Amino acid sequence: MQNPYLPIPVRIDKATIETEDRNLKTFKFVYVNPEDEAKFQYKAGQFGELSVTGKGEIPIGIASSPTEKGYVMFTVNKVGLVSTALHNMKEGDIMGIRGPLGNWYPWERMEGKNIVIIGGGFAFTTLRSSIVMLLDPENRKKFGDIHVVYGARSPGMLLYRDELAEWEARDDINMHITVDGTDDPDWKYNVGFVPSITEEKAPKGDDDTFAIVCGPPIMIKFTQPVLDKLGYKHDHIIMSLENRMKCGIGMCGRCNIGKEFVCKDGPVFTLEELNSIPKEY
C-alpha cells in the first residue's frame, strides 16, 4: 500500500509573478521522475498538497488543465510560512507535491449543458484549469454555451491576464471580466462587483445550464441570491469549499462540516448538498 503522505518530487520549471502586489505567483512544476506524471492524473477542480522541506505543506487548487501535459501548475498566495518559503524558492529548486486530492467538478453530468463559471480573486486558479480543459478542441464540442464572470479588486490584481485577453478574443466563450474599481482610462471591461455583473451578464437558469462558483466567501454570499433570482436550481449550482481544505485525506479532522469531510467528500459540492449540512463554511 502506498503511503498517502509521500510527496512526488518536482522541479520548479518556471515561476511567474501574477499580480501587482507580487503576492500571487504561478509555479510550473515538472516531474523529477517522468513516470510520476502517470501517478498525478487529475481532473479540473481537484487540488494537491505542496510540500517544502522543513516548512510543511499547504493545500492548493490545481491551476493547470488535465489537457496540459508534461507539467502541473499551481498559483500560490503568499500568506504563511510554507507559501512564503515557496515564493522564495528559485527555478530549478526541488520540492514535493501530493495528490491529486478531493473530487472535481461533475463534468460528465454537465456534458451537453451550458456552463456559467463565476470566480473572484485568488480562487480563480481551479477555474483556469476548468476553462482551459473546456476550450480544448477535444472537449469544447461536448458542452454548450460557456460564460465566465471573473472579477478582482483592480486590473493589476487579475490573474492570467494574457490568457484572459486570448479568451476574450474567441467566439466560443463569453468573457465578462470586471474589477471593483479603477482609474485606468484604458480599461475596456466591466467595473462592478462580481454578483452585480453576474446578474447583468449571466444567462437565466434552466435544466440545461449549470453555474460553477468559486471565490471569497463574501462573493459567494452575494452571488447565491443572484443565481436564485436568475432561476438556477440548487442542484445546478456547483461550489468549491477550497478555504476548508486541510490534510487532503480527511485524517486530521480539521476539514469536517457536519458529517462531510471537505478534503475527502469535497471540496466540490452542489448548493443542494450544502443546504443539508451546517452553515460553517
Side-chain angles (χ1 to χ4, degrees), residues 116-145:
V116 181
I117 292 174
I118 303 166
F122 167 50
F124 196 64
T125 56
T126 54
L127 300 182
R128 186 249 174 220
S129 173
S130 303
I131 293 167
V132 173
M133 184 277 293
L134 288 168
L135 294 180
D136 183 84
E138 286 298 311
N139 296 323
R140 184 62 192 88
K141 57 193 175 190
K142 299 178 183 175
F143 299 90
D145 294 340

Side-chain angles (χ1 to χ4, degrees), residues 35-271:
E35 62 271 22
D36 283 339
E37 183 174 5
K39 301 176 184 173
F40 203 87
Q41 294 296 306
Y42 59 92
K43 295 192 177 184
Q46 288 191 280
F47 68 102
E49 295 277 348
L50 305 185
S51 62
V52 179
T53 303
K55 302 298 181 183
E57 62 177 12
I58 47 173
I60 301 287
I62 301 171
S64 52
S65 162
T67 57
E68 297 173 304
K69 302 299 183 185
Y71 61 91
V72 61
M73 283 170 34
F74 294 82
T75 299
V76 179
N77 191 16
K78 187 170 68 173
V79 292
L81 178 67
V82 179
S83 58
T84 298
L86 182 53
H87 269 245
N88 290 335
M89 294 177 75
K90 299 179 176 59
E91 292 176 359
D93 285 349
I94 305 292
M95 52 165 292
I97 60 173
R98 187 163 62 81
L101 301 165
N103 63 355
W104 51 87
Y105 298 120
W107 301 114
E108 295 81 3
R109 184 183 172 206
M110 292 191 286
E111 280 196 8
K113 308 297 185 183
N114 306 312
I115 298 175
V116 181
I117 292 174
I118 303 166
F122 167 50
F124 196 64
T125 56
T126 54
L127 300 182
R128 186 249 174 220
S129 173
S130 303
I131 293 167
V132 173
M133 184 277 293
L134 288 168
L135 294 180
D136 183 84
E138 286 298 311
N139 296 323
R140 184 62 192 88
K141 57 193 175 190
K142 299 178 183 175
F143 299 90
D145 294 340
I146 300 173
H147 287 259
V148 176
V149 180
Y150 170 45
R153 293 199 307 271
S154 64
M157 293 302 292
L158 288 165
L159 298 173
Y160 320 125
R161 277 169 284 182
D162 290 344
E163 290 180 312
L164 292 178
E166 290 175 14
W167 299 336
E168 174 73 24
R170 295 177 64 130
D171 59 7
D172 59 351
I173 183 170
N174 302 288
M175 295 296 298
H176 310 293
I177 303 166
T178 186
V179 294
D180 296 351
T182 180
D183 55 7
D184 181 354
D186 296 323
W187 177 250
K188 58 182 181 180
Y189 304 112
N190 300 284
V191 175
F193 296 117
V194 166
S196 61
I197 301 301
T198 300
E199 183 168 5
E200 199 178 303
K201 304 288 186 179
K204 300 286 186 185
D206 57 34
D207 289 341
D208 292 326
T209 305
F210 284 78
I212 296 175
V213 184
C214 191
I218 190 70
M219 186 207 85
I220 293 173
K221 177 181 178 181
F222 288 101
T223 298
Q224 182 185 326
V226 169
L227 293 174
D228 286 339
K229 187 176 178 181
L230 290 172
Y232 283 77
K233 297 177 180 176
H234 285 189
D235 66 342
H236 280 48
I237 299 175
I238 317 294
M239 308 179 100
S240 183
L241 303 186
E242 293 186 358
N243 60 330
R244 292 298 300 261
M245 300 183 308
K246 299 298 180 188
C247 76
I249 55 177
M251 293 299 291
C252 72
R254 296 169 59 201
C255 70
N256 70 298
I257 301 175
K259 64 179 179 57
E260 305 288 352
F261 287 83
V262 172
C263 285
K264 192 173 63 171
D265 304 315
V268 174
F269 298 92
T270 66
L271 181 56

Side-chain angles (χ1 to χ4, degrees), residues 268-280:
V268 174
F269 298 92
T270 66
L271 181 56
E272 183 178 64
E273 291 170 328
L274 293 177
N275 287 340
S276 68
I277 62 177
K279 304 288 185 185
E280 297 173 359

